[in-house]
Amino acid sequence: MAIENHWRARKIRAELSKLGIELSLATIARYLPKPKPHPDTHQRWLTFLEPISEMAQQNAGAAEQNEAEEVDLVSLPAIRQPAVAK
């Protein structure tokens, strides 16, 4: 019913109740096929990784230009030591 008629849980519940079968929406929804995301709006791993790859290439190019590169302690994330109970 769900696939052929493009019905969701509420419509299926209404049709089943006409036949005297009472089920909750959660029960019906559990057995419905999961909708597939639209490919245009679905973020893929490649979309996620492209900016990171570009940044890595830029950083590699800058490192090659400046071989004696120093570590900038301001840009490093702070590492906090756990508090020791005395």
Side-chain angles (χ1 to χ4, degrees):
M1 288 187 334
I3 295 172
E4 292 176 5
N5 298 320
H6 303 288
W7 289 354
R8 301 307 305 154
R10 288 190 190 276
K11 178 67 175 173
I12 294 173
R13 181 181 182 201
E15 295 298 320
L16 289 175
S17 68
K18 291 178 186 177
L19 299 173
I21 302 170
E22 295 296 327
L23 294 172
S24 73
L25 286 175
T27 302
I28 296 169
R30 182 181 306 141
Y31 295 102
L32 290 178
K34 303 291 184 244
K36 293 187 169 113
H38 194 272
D40 293 340
T41 59
H42 186 71
Q43 183 179 11
R44 305 210 185 286
W45 276 109
L46 185 59
T47 307
F48 174 75
L49 293 174
E50 280 177 352
I52 297 171
S53 173
E54 291 172 5
M55 287 179 10
Q57 290 175 356
Q58 290 173 354
N59 289 342
E64 289 174 2
Q65 291 176 358
N66 185 10
E67 293 181 10
E69 183 176 326
E70 296 180 12
V71 176
D72 185 10
L73 297 177
V74 177
S75 66
L76 293 177
I79 300 173
R80 296 183 181 204
Q81 296 292 333
V84 179
K86 292 183 180 181

